[in-house]
C-alpha cells in the first residue's frame, strides 16, 4: 500500500477577517478528517504597496477599485488571534499550519506557535530572503510552484538549501552569490538529506483553475528532475484533480474550503463547501488503498473464484487409452478443478494416458 497522503484543508483567508469564523473552519476541517488546517499569516503593510492592483480573481465586480493593500488589510488576523487558532487546533486534534508571507511572520509562527513545518506560497517562490529564512528554521518545507518555470524551482530550492546548511553551521557565507548557492546545491543531499526536507507542490495559480490548465503530469517531471517528494495544491473545482494527483504520486495535497462558496472574498469561489470537504477527504483516503502495491498477483479474495470461473480440459468424446487425442476430443469448461486449459496443445496430438468418458476432466 502507498504511504498516507497528508491532506491540508486550506482555510486561507476564507475567515474574512473574523477569528470566530476561523475557529469554525478549524472545527470543520477536523470533522472532515483533514490532517492539517492552514491559514495565512501576513501584514498588509509588509506584503503589498498601496498602489498594487487587485488580481482579476480578487475583484468582486468590474468596478471594484480597491488596492491589494485594502483587501489584505481586511483579511489580517492578529498574533493573539493566531494563538487562539493554534489552541483550537490542539483541542480538536488537527495540525495547525499557516503560510508566512514575511520573515517576521515566519519567526512568530516558528518560535511562538511551534508550527511543525513551513509552507511557502507560490507567489513567494522568488522571495529569496524568505526562502533562506525557511531553510534556517530546520523544519520541513512545503514549496508551492504556481506560475513557476523549472529553472525558478531549482533556484528557489538552492536558497532553501543554503538556509538549511546555515542552520547546521555548515555554510558561513553572508552574501548568497551564485557560487555560494552552487556550493550549497552540490552538498545538499550529502550533509542534510535535502531531498527529504522539501516537498514540492505542483500548482496552477488560477481561481478556479480550468481542467485544461492543470497539467498534472508536470508533477511527475518535478519529482523525476529534483528527486523530492511532490504534492499538489489544488485550485480546480471538485476533488477529481487531487485524486488523480495522488494516483500520480502526490504525498501532500491542499485544497481551499469555506462555509459558503458564494461569500465575498478572493478564494471562496474556488473552495469546497462543508459537504464537499468531507467528500474530498474521504475520496483521498481511499486512493492509497486503491493503489495498493506494484506487485501483480492473485489476491487472497480472488482465490476462491479461480476454480469457479476458470476452465479445465474436458473430454468432448469418449477417448480410449493410448488413442491420439484430436481437437474434436477436447473442450474447455468450468470449473477449473482439472488440468488447466493452458495445456490444450500439450494434450491435443498426444496419446491418452487412460480411458476418458465424455464430460470427464482430463487429468493426464
Amino acid at each position: 500500500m502507498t504511504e498516507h497522503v497528508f491532506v491540508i484543508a486550506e482555510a486561507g483567508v476564507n475567515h474574512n477577517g473574523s477569528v470566530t469564523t476561523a475557529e469554525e473552519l478549524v472545527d470543520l476541517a477536523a470533522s472532515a478528517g483533514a490532517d492539517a488546517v492552514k491559514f495565512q499569516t501576513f501584514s498588509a503593510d509588509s506584503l503589498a504597496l498601496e498602489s498594487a492592483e487587485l488580481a482579476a480573481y480578487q475583484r468582486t465586480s468590474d468596478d471594484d477599485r480597491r488596492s491589494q493593500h485594502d483587501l489584505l488589510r481586511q483579511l489580517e488576523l492578529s498574533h493573539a488571534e493566531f494563538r487562539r487558532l493554534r489552541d483550537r487546533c490542539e483541542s480538536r486534534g488537527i495540525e495547525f499550519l499557516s503560510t508566512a508571507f514575511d520573515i517576521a511572520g515566519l519567526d512568530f509562527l516558528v518560535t511562538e506557535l511551534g508550527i511543525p513545518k513551513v509552507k511557502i506560497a507560490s507567489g513567494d517562490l522568488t522571495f529569496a530572503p524568505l526562502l533562506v529564512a525557511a531553510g534556517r528554521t530546520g523544519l520541513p518545507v512545503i514549496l508551492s510552484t504556481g506560475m513557476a518555470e523549472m529553472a525558478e524551482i531549482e533556484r528557489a530550492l538552492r536558497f532553501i538549501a543554503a538556509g538549511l546548511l546555515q542552520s547546521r553551521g555548515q555554510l558561513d557565507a553572508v552574501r548568497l552569490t551564485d557560487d555560494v548557492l552552487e556550493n550549497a546545491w552540490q552538498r545538499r543531499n550529502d550533509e542534510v538529506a535535502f531531498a527529504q526536507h522539501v516537498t514540492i507542490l505542483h500548482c496552477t495559480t488560477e481561481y478556479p483553475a480550468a481542467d485544461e490548465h492543470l497539467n498534472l503530469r508536470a508533477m511527475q517531471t518535478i519529482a523525476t528532475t529534483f528527486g523530492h517528494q511532490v504534492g499538489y495544491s489544488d485550485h480546480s473545482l471538485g476533488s477529481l484533480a487531487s485524486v488523480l494527483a495522488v494516483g500520480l504520486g502526490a504525498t501532500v495535497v491542499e485544497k481551499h474550503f469555506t462555509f459558503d462558496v458564494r461569500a465575498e472574498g478572493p478564494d471562496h469561489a474556488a473552495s469546497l463547501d462543508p459537504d464537499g470537504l468531507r467528500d474530498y477527504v474521504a475520496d483521498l483516503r481511499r486512493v492509497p488503498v486503491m493503489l495498493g502495491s506494484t506487485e501483480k498477483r492473485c489476491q487472497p479474495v480472488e482465490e476462491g473464484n479461480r476454480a469457479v470461473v476458470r476452465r479445465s480440459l474436458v473430454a468432448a468424446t469418449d477417448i480410449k487409452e493410448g488413442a491420439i487425442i484430436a481437437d474434436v476430443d477436447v473442450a474447455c469448461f468450468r470449473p477449473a478443478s482439472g488440468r488447466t486449459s493452458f495445456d490444450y496443445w500439450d494434450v491435443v496430438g498426444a496419446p491418452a494416458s487412460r480411458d476418458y468418458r465424455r464430460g470427464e476432466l482430463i487429468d493426464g
Side-chain angles (χ1 to χ4, degrees), residues 34-52:
D35 295 292
V37 59
K38 186 167 72 66
F39 295 92
Q40 296 177 7
T41 301
F42 59 85
S43 162
D45 292 341
S46 300
L47 183 53
L49 296 175
E50 293 188 10
S51 59

Side-chain angles (χ1 to χ4, degrees), residues 58-114:
Q58 294 174 325
R59 298 184 184 279
T60 57
S61 65
D62 290 341
D63 59 355
D64 188 347
R65 293 292 178 260
R66 292 176 299 168
S67 66
Q68 276 198 53
H69 188 276
D70 294 334
L71 174 66
L72 293 167
R73 175 74 77 190
Q74 298 167 8
L75 299 174
E76 286 182 11
L77 293 176
S78 68
H79 284 192
E81 289 171 327
F82 276 116
R83 291 188 188 94
R84 281 179 57 178
L85 293 178
R86 188 271 316 273
D87 294 345
R88 186 68 160 234
C89 287
E90 290 181 353
S91 70
R92 291 305 309 269
I94 188 171
E95 190 171 301
F96 169 80
L97 294 176
S98 190
T99 301
F101 286 81
D102 56 54
I103 295 173
L106 178 62
D107 182 64
F108 163 70
L109 291 170
V110 172
T111 60
E112 295 194 41
L113 297 192

Side-chain angles (χ1 to χ4, degrees), residues 44-330:
D45 292 341
S46 300
L47 183 53
L49 296 175
E50 293 188 10
S51 59
E53 296 182 357
L54 291 176
Y57 75 90
Q58 294 174 325
R59 298 184 184 279
T60 57
S61 65
D62 290 341
D63 59 355
D64 188 347
R65 293 292 178 260
R66 292 176 299 168
S67 66
Q68 276 198 53
H69 188 276
D70 294 334
L71 174 66
L72 293 167
R73 175 74 77 190
Q74 298 167 8
L75 299 174
E76 286 182 11
L77 293 176
S78 68
H79 284 192
E81 289 171 327
F82 276 116
R83 291 188 188 94
R84 281 179 57 178
L85 293 178
R86 188 271 316 273
D87 294 345
R88 186 68 160 234
C89 287
E90 290 181 353
S91 70
R92 291 305 309 269
I94 188 171
E95 190 171 301
F96 169 80
L97 294 176
S98 190
T99 301
F101 286 81
D102 56 54
I103 295 173
L106 178 62
D107 182 64
F108 163 70
L109 291 170
V110 172
T111 60
E112 295 194 41
L113 297 192
I115 56 170
K117 51 183 68 74
V118 174
K119 171 67 194 301
I120 301 295
S122 291
D124 287 334
L125 182 88
T126 61
F127 185 6
L130 183 62
L131 297 172
V132 175
R136 284 176 182 155
T137 67
L139 295 173
V141 175
I142 300 174
L143 177 68
S144 275
T145 62
M147 306 171 288
E149 306 290 342
M150 290 292 287
E152 292 175 320
I153 297 173
E154 180 175 320
R155 191 158 176 79
L157 291 172
R158 287 175 179 240
F159 282 109
I160 297 172
L164 182 58
L165 286 169
Q166 288 178 339
S167 76
R168 308 284 177 87
Q170 296 168 333
L171 186 67
D172 297 328
V174 176
R175 293 184 64 247
L176 298 180
T177 62
D178 286 345
D179 288 345
V180 172
L181 291 174
E182 176 63 20
N183 177 268
W185 187 245
Q186 294 302 322
R187 297 162 52 201
R188 69 194 186 284
N189 286 325
D190 294 337
E191 301 185 30
V192 292
F194 188 64
Q196 284 74 51
H197 188 78
V198 181
T199 300
I200 305 171
L201 303 191
H202 174 54
C203 176
T204 300
T205 305
E206 181 184 19
Y207 304 88
D211 290 358
E212 60 270 25
H213 300 155
L214 301 184
N215 199 30
L216 292 174
R217 287 195 179 102
M219 188 177 61
Q220 294 177 307
T221 301
I222 292 170
T224 301
T225 302
F226 298 112
H228 287 239
Q229 287 193 330
V230 292
Y232 184 51
S233 181
D234 186 1
H235 296 156
S236 71
L237 297 177
S239 63
L240 180 58
S242 286
V243 169
L244 290 172
V246 174
L248 291 170
T251 60
V252 176
V253 291
E254 66 176 12
K255 183 81 168 178
H256 285 273
F257 73 104
T258 182
F259 284 109
D260 184 358
V261 297
R262 297 163 298 183
E264 182 177 326
D267 296 330
H268 292 285
S271 300
L272 296 170
D273 64 17
D275 288 339
L277 180 63
R278 294 185 187 96
D279 291 344
Y280 176 81
V281 176
D283 285 346
L284 291 174
R285 295 298 181 226
R286 295 176 65 194
V287 177
V289 179
M290 291 180 178
L291 290 174
S293 75
T294 57
E295 180 185 16
K296 174 58 182 175
R297 59 179 295 272
C298 178
Q299 299 289 327
V301 295
E302 299 177 292
E303 289 174 357
N305 294 324
R306 286 201 287 190
V308 177
V309 301
R310 287 187 173 178
R311 301 171 188 252
S312 297
L313 295 180
V314 177
T317 62
D318 291 339
I319 306 172
K320 292 294 186 180
E321 181 180 355
I324 300 301
I325 300 174
D327 286 347
V328 295
D329 297 322
V330 182

